[in-house]
Amino acid sequence: QDGDIEKAKTALENGAQINGKGGLGYTPLQIAFVNDKLDMFAFLIGEGANVEMENEEGLTPLMLVAREGGKNALKYAEILISPGGADYKRESEEGMKAADFAEEKGHKELTAYFSSKRIEGDYQEALQEKESRKKEVEGAQGKTKAPKKVRKRK
C-alpha cells in the first residue's frame, strides 16, 4: 500500500501472491491504483499481475480505472492496455465496457482514449477482413483459371 517496490519485491520473493485479494476483494494491482502508486502499478504488471482479475464488484482493473478516473487515470489505462494486455472490449456482468464507465462518470480524457482505441481496433479488424477477402478471391481465381495453351515448336 505504501508503494515501496523493494518491499514488494521481497514480499514476492517470500511467496506473497501477486494476485491475492485483500479485505475488499482488491488485488495488489487494484490497490496500487486506488492509492495512486503508478510506479508500483507498472512494477506489478511487469511482474505478471493479472490485468483481467475482477474485484468483488466484478470489475477488472481497467474498468475500475475508467469508473474512478483521477489525475493519472489515462496513464493507468495506457499501462493496462499496453504493455499489460488488458482487454478494453471486455464487458462487466452488467454489460458495461471500460469506455462506458468512463463516459458515464464524465471522464472526458479517458472517454476520448477508449474511443480512439475502438476506432483503431475497428480499423485493424476491417483491414484484416479486407486482406482475408482478397486472399479468398485470389484463391478462387487461381482454382478456376483456364490453363494456358502451350505452343509446340516445329
Side-chain angles (χ1 to χ4, degrees), residues 21-27 30 54-57:
K21 291 186 177 183
L24 295 174
Y26 281 34
T27 65
Q30 292 166 326
E54 298 175 354
N55 64 13
E56 297 299 313
E57 298 174 277

Side-chain angles (χ1 to χ4, degrees), residues 8-16:
K9 284 180 185 177
T10 301
L12 290 172
E13 288 168 0
N14 291 327

Side-chain angles (χ1 to χ4, degrees), residues 19-38:
N19 294 311
K21 291 186 177 183
L24 295 174
Y26 281 34
T27 65
L29 189 62
Q30 292 166 326
I31 292 169
F33 165 69
V34 169
N35 291 314
D36 196 19
K37 303 294 182 187
L38 191 60

Side-chain angles (χ1 to χ4, degrees), residues 4-14 43 47:
D4 187 330
I5 291 176
E6 290 305 316
K7 283 183 187 176
K9 284 180 185 177
T10 301
L12 290 172
E13 288 168 0
N14 291 327
F43 166 76
E47 291 295 309

Side-chain angles (χ1 to χ4, degrees), residues 132-147:
S132 178
R133 280 194 307 249
K134 182 180 175 184
K135 286 179 182 178
E136 287 174 14
V137 168
E138 287 172 352
Q141 287 174 344
K143 292 177 184 175
T144 60
K145 282 185 179 177

Side-chain angles (χ1 to χ4, degrees), residues 80-145:
L80 280 164
I81 291 173
S82 180
D87 181 4
Y88 63 91
K89 295 180 180 180
R90 182 171 172 179
E91 294 183 0
S92 68
E93 291 176 10
E94 292 79 30
M96 291 184 66
K97 297 176 185 173
D100 300 324
F101 285 108
E103 187 173 359
E104 182 180 84
K105 295 293 183 173
H107 304 306
K108 292 178 183 177
E109 191 174 42
L110 283 172
T111 300
Y113 174 70
F114 290 125
S115 179
S116 72
K117 294 305 287 179
R118 186 175 58 245
I119 290 167
E120 178 184 305
D122 291 346
Y123 176 71
Q124 291 300 325
E125 287 174 22
L127 283 178
Q128 289 172 350
E129 188 176 315
K130 181 179 178 182
E131 190 62 30
S132 178
R133 280 194 307 249
K134 182 180 175 184
K135 286 179 182 178
E136 287 174 14
V137 168
E138 287 172 352
Q141 287 174 344
K143 292 177 184 175
T144 60
K145 282 185 179 177

